[in-house]
Amino acid sequence: MVQIPEEGREPTPTVYLKDGTSVEVPLSELADYLEANRDNIQTRTKKRRGPVRSKLTAETNLIG
């Protein structure tokens, strides 16, 4: 979800912590916050859809 900041306000990305809480940090302070709290930050990964290229290649081979 992309949040558009109000005019005059700095964007504040959300940082998710391992204890289940989330913190909004001003963009200007984000690098310092990430460095200071490296051990407490929860990493997130996106699920991949799968091998899309091989499916497209197979369909192309059937047509040609």
Side-chain angles (χ1 to χ4, degrees):
M1 183 169 122
V2 177
Q3 294 180 355
I4 301 172
E6 296 175 21
E7 184 143 347
R9 279 190 61 194
E10 184 176 16
T12 54
T14 303
V15 178
Y16 296 95
L17 303 176
K18 289 182 180 179
D19 64 0
T21 60
S22 61
V23 179
E24 289 188 4
V25 182
L27 196 57
S28 61
E29 300 173 14
L30 185 61
D32 294 333
Y33 184 85
L34 294 177
E35 184 66 32
N37 296 293
R38 180 177 291 194
D39 296 333
N40 297 329
I41 297 172
Q42 176 182 351
T43 57
R44 294 179 140 192
T45 57
K46 292 185 177 183
K47 293 183 180 179
R48 297 187 180 186
R49 296 186 328 167
V52 175
R53 286 183 180 222
S54 62
K55 184 177 180 181
L56 289 175
T57 304
E59 289 176 2
T60 305
N61 290 340
L62 292 175
I63 294 172

